[in-house]
Amino acid sequence: MGVMGIPGLPQAWPTTSPADVGLSPEIGKTLQTAFAAGEYRGLHGLLIARRGKLAVEHYFDGADENWGHPLDNQQHGPDMLHDMRSVTKSVVSLLYGIALAEGRVPDTSTRLFDALPDYAALATTPLHRRITIGHVLSMRMGIAWNEDMTYADPRNGEREMEAASDRYHYVLSRPVAEAPGKRWVYCGGATALLGLLIARGTGQRLEAYAAERLFAPLGIFEWEWVNGSDGFAAASSGLRLRARDMARIGQLMLDRGQAFGRRVVPP
C-alpha cells in the first residue's frame, strides 16, 4: 500500500562507507562469508545506520512468510517488504503516543472498561475493573494469557484471539490471573485493544492513521498491514515494511521522536 508523500521530505537515506563512520571496511565481506557458512541462517538483511547515514546494507536470499503464510525462496533486497511480526506492537505503541498527544485516545490512568463501555459487561470481577490503559500499554493487565508456545499451536493466545469472531471480546473476557500491574506477561491481545482505541479515537482505520501520522512524515510510502479475519488490521503482528524503513523508525527513536527537523512522536 502506498500513500502520497509530503513535499520536501527526503525519500532516501544518505549513504556513506563503513570506514567513514568508524566501522570495518571488511564488514560486508565478513557478513557474506558468515552467511555462506550457515552462521546467519534465516537472516534477510542487515542495515547499519550511524550518525544519520546508512553505512552498511546487505541482503540475503531465503524463505519468508506473510503473516504465517509461507513464501517461496525470496531474493531479498531494498524494495522487499518483510513481516515485522511483533515489532508491529512497538509501532502501535508509537501511534498511541501520537494520538494521546492529540487528545484523541484515553490517558494512561483511564480504566480500560470505561474506555470501552460496549464491553463493560465483561468486567466480571473487581480485578477486571482495575485494569487501566497504562496496564495495557505495559502488558501488565493481569489476564490469563499464553504466547510462550509456538504460533503454530492453536492454543497460542494470539492464534486463539485471531480465530475468535470478535478478537476484542476474546481478550476482554479472559479471566484475571493476578492483580493488574503486578507482572509483565507478553500479550498480543493488549496491542489489539490499543489498535481498537486508536481507530475509535481517531475515526480512522489503524493503518490509515499510521500512514498519515507516522509513515508519511518519515518518508515511508511502501508498506502493508495485513488484516485479520474480521477485516481490520492485525495490530499485534500484521505490519510489513522494507528494511530501510524499519531503520527509519529506529532512527526516529534515537532522535527522540524527531525526523527531518519535525516532531513526529512526543519525546
Short mmCIF file of all heavy atoms in Angstrom, two decimals, residues 200-244:
data_model
loop_
_atom_site.label_atom_id
_atom_site.label_comp_id
_atom_site.label_asym_id
_atom_site.label_seq_id
_atom_site.Cartn_x
_atom_site.Cartn_y
_atom_site.Cartn_z
N ARG A 200 -10.98 3.98 17.09
CA ARG A 200 -12.19 4.66 17.58
C ARG A 200 -11.91 6.14 17.88
O ARG A 200 -12.72 7.01 17.55
CB ARG A 200 -12.71 3.96 18.82
CG ARG A 200 -13.36 2.61 18.54
CD ARG A 200 -13.99 2.03 19.79
NE ARG A 200 -14.75 0.82 19.50
CZ ARG A 200 -15.48 0.16 20.39
NH1 ARG A 200 -15.54 0.60 21.64
NH2 ARG A 200 -16.14 -0.93 20.05
N GLY A 201 -10.79 6.40 18.51
CA GLY A 201 -10.50 7.77 18.90
C GLY A 201 -10.20 8.70 17.73
O GLY A 201 -10.53 9.89 17.78
N THR A 202 -9.58 8.16 16.70
CA THR A 202 -9.22 8.99 15.55
C THR A 202 -10.28 8.98 14.47
O THR A 202 -10.26 9.84 13.57
CB THR A 202 -7.90 8.51 14.93
OG1 THR A 202 -8.06 7.17 14.42
CG2 THR A 202 -6.78 8.54 15.97
N GLY A 203 -11.19 8.00 14.53
CA GLY A 203 -12.18 7.87 13.47
C GLY A 203 -11.60 7.35 12.17
O GLY A 203 -12.21 7.50 11.11
N GLN A 204 -10.42 6.75 12.24
CA GLN A 204 -9.75 6.20 11.06
C GLN A 204 -9.36 4.75 11.32
O GLN A 204 -9.16 4.34 12.46
CB GLN A 204 -8.47 6.98 10.75
CG GLN A 204 -8.66 8.43 10.38
CD GLN A 204 -7.33 9.12 10.18
OE1 GLN A 204 -6.82 9.76 11.08
NE2 GLN A 204 -6.75 8.98 8.98
N ARG A 205 -9.25 4.00 10.24
CA ARG A 205 -8.66 2.68 10.39
C ARG A 205 -7.23 2.84 10.89
O ARG A 205 -6.55 3.83 10.60
CB ARG A 205 -8.68 1.93 9.06
CG ARG A 205 -10.07 1.48 8.62
CD ARG A 205 -9.99 0.76 7.27
NE ARG A 205 -9.17 -0.44 7.34
CZ ARG A 205 -9.66 -1.69 7.50
NH1 ARG A 205 -10.98 -1.88 7.62
NH2 ARG A 205 -8.85 -2.72 7.54
N LEU A 206 -6.77 1.85 11.63
CA LEU A 206 -5.43 1.92 12.24
C LEU A 206 -4.36 2.20 11.19
O LEU A 206 -3.50 3.06 11.37
CB LEU A 206 -5.13 0.61 12.97
CG LEU A 206 -3.76 0.50 13.63
CD1 LEU A 206 -3.61 1.53 14.75
CD2 LEU A 206 -3.56 -0.91 14.18
N GLU A 207 -4.41 1.49 10.08
CA GLU A 207 -3.37 1.65 9.07
C GLU A 207 -3.44 3.01 8.38
O GLU A 207 -2.42 3.58 7.97
CB GLU A 207 -3.42 0.51 8.03
CG GLU A 207 -4.62 0.50 7.11
CD GLU A 207 -5.82 -0.24 7.68
OE1 GLU A 207 -5.93 -0.34 8.92
OE2 GLU A 207 -6.64 -0.71 6.88
N ALA A 208 -4.65 3.58 8.27
CA ALA A 208 -4.79 4.91 7.66
C ALA A 208 -4.18 5.97 8.58
O ALA A 208 -3.51 6.91 8.12
CB ALA A 208 -6.25 5.21 7.38
N TYR A 209 -4.42 5.83 9.88
CA TYR A 209 -3.84 6.77 10.83
C TYR A 209 -2.32 6.65 10.83
O TYR A 209 -1.59 7.66 10.87
CB TYR A 209 -4.40 6.51 12.22
CG TYR A 209 -3.96 7.51 13.26
CD1 TYR A 209 -4.40 8.84 13.20
CD2 TYR A 209 -3.11 7.15 14.29
CE1 TYR A 209 -4.01 9.77 14.16
CE2 TYR A 209 -2.71 8.07 15.25
CZ TYR A 209 -3.16 9.37 15.18
OH TYR A 209 -2.76 10.29 16.13
N ALA A 210 -1.81 5.41 10.77
CA ALA A 210 -0.37 5.18 10.72
C ALA A 210 0.23 5.82 9.48
O ALA A 210 1.30 6.46 9.54
CB ALA A 210 -0.07 3.69 10.73
N ALA A 211 -0.44 5.68 8.34
CA ALA A 211 0.06 6.24 7.10
C ALA A 211 0.19 7.75 7.18
O ALA A 211 1.18 8.35 6.73
CB ALA A 211 -0.85 5.84 5.94
N GLU A 212 -0.81 8.37 7.78
CA GLU A 212 -0.86 9.84 7.83
C GLU A 212 0.06 10.43 8.88
O GLU A 212 0.76 11.43 8.63
CB GLU A 212 -2.31 10.27 8.10
CG GLU A 212 -2.50 11.76 8.26
CD GLU A 212 -3.92 12.11 8.69
OE1 GLU A 212 -4.87 11.47 8.18
OE2 GLU A 212 -4.08 13.00 9.54
N ARG A 213 0.09 9.83 10.07
CA ARG A 213 0.74 10.47 11.21
C ARG A 213 2.14 9.95 11.52
O ARG A 213 2.90 10.62 12.21
CB ARG A 213 -0.14 10.32 12.47
CG ARG A 213 -1.55 10.83 12.30
CD ARG A 213 -1.62 12.31 12.02
NE ARG A 213 -1.18 13.05 13.19
CZ ARG A 213 -0.50 14.19 13.15
NH1 ARG A 213 -0.15 14.70 11.99
NH2 ARG A 213 -0.17 14.81 14.26
N LEU A 214 2.49 8.75 11.01
CA LEU A 214 3.81 8.18 11.30
C LEU A 214 4.59 7.88 10.03
O LEU A 214 5.72 8.33 9.87
CB LEU A 214 3.68 6.92 12.15
CG LEU A 214 4.99 6.23 12.52
CD1 LEU A 214 5.86 7.14 13.39
CD2 LEU A 214 4.73 4.91 13.26
N PHE A 215 3.99 7.14 9.11
CA PHE A 215 4.75 6.69 7.94
C PHE A 215 5.12 7.84 7.01
O PHE A 215 6.29 8.02 6.66
CB PHE A 215 3.99 5.61 7.18
CG PHE A 215 3.75 4.35 7.96
CD1 PHE A 215 2.73 3.48 7.62
CD2 PHE A 215 4.54 4.00 9.04
CE1 PHE A 215 2.51 2.31 8.32
CE2 PHE A 215 4.34 2.85 9.77
CZ PHE A 215 3.31 1.98 9.40
N ALA A 216 4.15 8.60 6.57
CA ALA A 216 4.43 9.69 5.61
C ALA A 216 5.44 10.70 6.17
O ALA A 216 6.36 11.10 5.45
CB ALA A 216 3.14 10.38 5.18
N PRO A 217 5.31 11.12 7.43
CA PRO A 217 6.33 12.06 7.95
C PRO A 217 7.74 11.49 7.98
O PRO A 217 8.71 12.24 8.03
CB PRO A 217 5.83 12.36 9.37
CG PRO A 217 4.35 12.16 9.29
CD PRO A 217 4.18 10.99 8.37
N LEU A 218 7.86 10.15 7.95
CA LEU A 218 9.19 9.52 7.92
C LEU A 218 9.64 9.21 6.50
O LEU A 218 10.73 8.67 6.30
CB LEU A 218 9.18 8.22 8.74
CG LEU A 218 8.95 8.35 10.24
CD1 LEU A 218 8.99 6.98 10.91
CD2 LEU A 218 9.98 9.28 10.87
N GLY A 219 8.82 9.53 5.51
CA GLY A 219 9.17 9.19 4.14
C GLY A 219 8.94 7.72 3.82
O GLY A 219 9.58 7.17 2.92
N ILE A 220 8.02 7.07 4.55
CA ILE A 220 7.71 5.65 4.32
C ILE A 220 6.43 5.58 3.49
O ILE A 220 5.36 5.97 3.97
CB ILE A 220 7.52 4.90 5.66
CG1 ILE A 220 8.81 4.92 6.46
CG2 ILE A 220 7.05 3.46 5.41
CD1 ILE A 220 8.69 4.33 7.86
N PHE A 221 6.55 5.10 2.26
CA PHE A 221 5.40 5.09 1.36
C PHE A 221 5.07 3.71 0.81
O PHE A 221 4.07 3.54 0.12
CB PHE A 221 5.64 6.07 0.21
CG PHE A 221 5.93 7.46 0.69
CD1 PHE A 221 7.17 8.03 0.46
CD2 PHE A 221 4.99 8.18 1.40
CE1 PHE A 221 7.45 9.31 0.92
CE2 PHE A 221 5.27 9.46 1.87
CZ PHE A 221 6.50 10.02 1.63
N GLU A 222 5.92 2.72 1.07
CA GLU A 222 5.63 1.36 0.64
C GLU A 222 5.54 0.48 1.88
O GLU A 222 6.53 0.32 2.60
CB GLU A 222 6.73 0.84 -0.31
CG GLU A 222 6.86 1.63 -1.60
CD GLU A 222 5.60 1.56 -2.45
OE1 GLU A 222 4.92 0.52 -2.43
OE2 GLU A 222 5.30 2.55 -3.13
N TRP A 223 4.37 -0.06 2.12
CA TRP A 223 4.15 -0.86 3.31
C TRP A 223 2.86 -1.67 3.13
O TRP A 223 2.10 -1.45 2.19
CB TRP A 223 4.04 0.03 4.56
CG TRP A 223 3.06 1.14 4.40
CD1 TRP A 223 3.30 2.38 3.89
CD2 TRP A 223 1.65 1.10 4.72
NE1 TRP A 223 2.15 3.13 3.87
CE2 TRP A 223 1.12 2.36 4.37
CE3 TRP A 223 0.81 0.14 5.26
CZ2 TRP A 223 -0.23 2.68 4.55
CZ3 TRP A 223 -0.52 0.45 5.43
CH2 TRP A 223 -1.04 1.71 5.09
N GLU A 224 2.63 -2.58 4.03
CA GLU A 224 1.40 -3.38 4.03
C GLU A 224 1.05 -3.68 5.47
O GLU A 224 1.94 -3.90 6.31
CB GLU A 224 1.61 -4.69 3.26
CG GLU A 224 0.39 -5.60 3.22
CD GLU A 224 0.68 -6.93 2.53
OE1 GLU A 224 1.83 -7.15 2.09
OE2 GLU A 224 -0.25 -7.74 2.45
N TRP A 225 -0.26 -3.65 5.76
CA TRP A 225 -0.71 -4.05 7.11
C TRP A 225 -1.80 -5.10 6.90
O TRP A 225 -2.89 -4.80 6.44
CB TRP A 225 -1.24 -2.85 7.87
CG TRP A 225 -1.13 -3.03 9.37
CD1 TRP A 225 -1.42 -4.16 10.08
CD2 TRP A 225 -0.69 -2.06 10.32
NE1 TRP A 225 -1.19 -3.96 11.42
CE2 TRP A 225 -0.74 -2.69 11.59
CE3 TRP A 225 -0.27 -0.73 10.23
CZ2 TRP A 225 -0.38 -2.01 12.76
CZ3 TRP A 225 0.09 -0.07 11.40
CH2 TRP A 225 0.04 -0.71 12.65
N VAL A 226 -1.48 -6.32 7.24
CA VAL A 226 -2.36 -7.46 6.98
C VAL A 226 -3.59 -7.38 7.88
O VAL A 226 -3.48 -7.09 9.09
CB VAL A 226 -1.61 -8.78 7.20
CG1 VAL A 226 -2.53 -9.97 6.94
CG2 VAL A 226 -0.38 -8.85 6.30
N ASN A 227 -4.74 -7.67 7.31
CA ASN A 227 -5.98 -7.71 8.08
C ASN A 227 -6.19 -9.08 8.68
O ASN A 227 -5.83 -10.10 8.10
CB ASN A 227 -7.18 -7.39 7.19
CG ASN A 227 -7.21 -5.94 6.75
OD1 ASN A 227 -6.68 -5.07 7.42
ND2 ASN A 227 -7.84 -5.68 5.62
N GLY A 228 -6.83 -9.11 9.84
CA GLY A 228 -7.29 -10.36 10.42
C GLY A 228 -8.56 -10.82 9.73
O GLY A 228 -9.05 -10.19 8.78
N SER A 229 -9.13 -11.90 10.20
CA SER A 229 -10.33 -12.45 9.58
C SER A 229 -11.53 -11.51 9.70
O SER A 229 -12.50 -11.64 8.96
CB SER A 229 -10.68 -13.81 10.20
OG SER A 229 -10.89 -13.68 11.61
N ASP A 230 -11.45 -10.54 10.64
CA ASP A 230 -12.55 -9.59 10.82
C ASP A 230 -12.45 -8.40 9.86
O ASP A 230 -13.30 -7.51 9.88
CB ASP A 230 -12.61 -9.10 12.26
CG ASP A 230 -11.34 -8.38 12.70
OD1 ASP A 230 -10.39 -8.28 11.90
OD2 ASP A 230 -11.29 -7.93 13.87
N GLY A 231 -11.41 -8.38 9.04
CA GLY A 231 -11.26 -7.31 8.07
C GLY A 231 -10.54 -6.07 8.59
O GLY A 231 -10.41 -5.09 7.86
N PHE A 232 -10.07 -6.13 9.84
CA PHE A 232 -9.36 -4.99 10.42
C PHE A 232 -7.89 -5.35 10.65
O PHE A 232 -7.54 -6.52 10.84
CB PHE A 232 -10.01 -4.57 11.73
CG PHE A 232 -11.37 -3.96 11.53
CD1 PHE A 232 -12.52 -4.74 11.67
CD2 PHE A 232 -11.51 -2.63 11.18
CE1 PHE A 232 -13.78 -4.20 11.47
CE2 PHE A 232 -12.77 -2.08 10.97
CZ PHE A 232 -13.90 -2.86 11.12
N ALA A 233 -7.04 -4.34 10.62
CA ALA A 233 -5.60 -4.55 10.72
C ALA A 233 -5.23 -5.35 11.97
O ALA A 233 -5.73 -5.07 13.07
CB ALA A 233 -4.88 -3.20 10.74
N ALA A 234 -4.36 -6.33 11.80
CA ALA A 234 -3.87 -7.13 12.91
C ALA A 234 -2.82 -6.30 13.66
O ALA A 234 -1.65 -6.24 13.26
CB ALA A 234 -3.27 -8.43 12.41
N ALA A 235 -3.24 -5.65 14.73
CA ALA A 235 -2.38 -4.70 15.43
C ALA A 235 -1.19 -5.37 16.10
O ALA A 235 -0.15 -4.74 16.29
CB ALA A 235 -3.19 -3.94 16.48
N SER A 236 -1.30 -6.64 16.43
CA SER A 236 -0.24 -7.29 17.19
C SER A 236 0.90 -7.80 16.32
O SER A 236 2.01 -7.98 16.81
CB SER A 236 -0.80 -8.46 17.99
OG SER A 236 -1.34 -9.44 17.13
N SER A 237 0.67 -7.99 15.00
CA SER A 237 1.73 -8.64 14.22
C SER A 237 1.61 -8.49 12.72
O SER A 237 2.37 -9.13 11.99
CB SER A 237 1.74 -10.14 14.56
OG SER A 237 0.48 -10.73 14.26
N GLY A 238 0.71 -7.65 12.20
CA GLY A 238 0.41 -7.68 10.77
C GLY A 238 1.18 -6.72 9.89
O GLY A 238 0.98 -6.71 8.67
N LEU A 239 2.08 -5.92 10.44
CA LEU A 239 2.76 -4.90 9.64
C LEU A 239 3.91 -5.50 8.83
O LEU A 239 4.66 -6.35 9.31
CB LEU A 239 3.31 -3.81 10.56
CG LEU A 239 4.01 -2.61 9.89
CD1 LEU A 239 3.07 -1.87 8.96
CD2 LEU A 239 4.57 -1.67 10.96
N ARG A 240 4.04 -5.02 7.58
CA ARG A 240 5.15 -5.41 6.70
C ARG A 240 5.82 -4.13 6.19
O ARG A 240 5.16 -3.25 5.66
CB ARG A 240 4.64 -6.26 5.53
CG ARG A 240 4.15 -7.63 5.98
CD ARG A 240 3.42 -8.37 4.86
NE ARG A 240 4.23 -8.57 3.67
CZ ARG A 240 5.18 -9.49 3.53
NH1 ARG A 240 5.43 -10.32 4.55
NH2 ARG A 240 5.86 -9.60 2.42
N LEU A 241 7.14 -4.05 6.38
CA LEU A 241 7.91 -2.88 5.99
C LEU A 241 9.17 -3.29 5.23
O LEU A 241 9.63 -4.42 5.33
CB LEU A 241 8.36 -2.08 7.23
CG LEU A 241 7.32 -1.36 8.07
CD1 LEU A 241 7.99 -0.79 9.31
CD2 LEU A 241 6.64 -0.26 7.28
N ARG A 242 9.73 -2.34 4.51
CA ARG A 242 11.06 -2.52 3.95
C ARG A 242 12.09 -2.36 5.08
O ARG A 242 11.86 -1.63 6.05
CB ARG A 242 11.34 -1.50 2.86
CG ARG A 242 10.37 -1.51 1.70
CD ARG A 242 10.80 -0.54 0.61
NE ARG A 242 11.08 0.78 1.16
CZ ARG A 242 11.74 1.73 0.49
NH1 ARG A 242 12.16 1.50 -0.74
NH2 ARG A 242 11.97 2.91 1.05
N ALA A 243 13.24 -3.02 4.94
CA ALA A 243 14.27 -2.93 5.97
C ALA A 243 14.74 -1.49 6.16
O ALA A 243 14.98 -1.05 7.29
CB ALA A 243 15.44 -3.84 5.61
N ARG A 244 14.87 -0.75 5.08
CA ARG A 244 15.30 0.65 5.19
C ARG A 244 14.31 1.46 6.03
O ARG A 244 14.71 2.35 6.79
CB ARG A 244 15.42 1.27 3.81
CG ARG A 244 16.63 0.80 3.01
CD ARG A 244 16.70 1.52 1.68
NE ARG A 244 17.89 1.15 0.93
CZ ARG A 244 18.23 1.70 -0.24
NH1 ARG A 244 17.44 2.61 -0.78
NH2 ARG A 244 19.33 1.31 -0.86
#
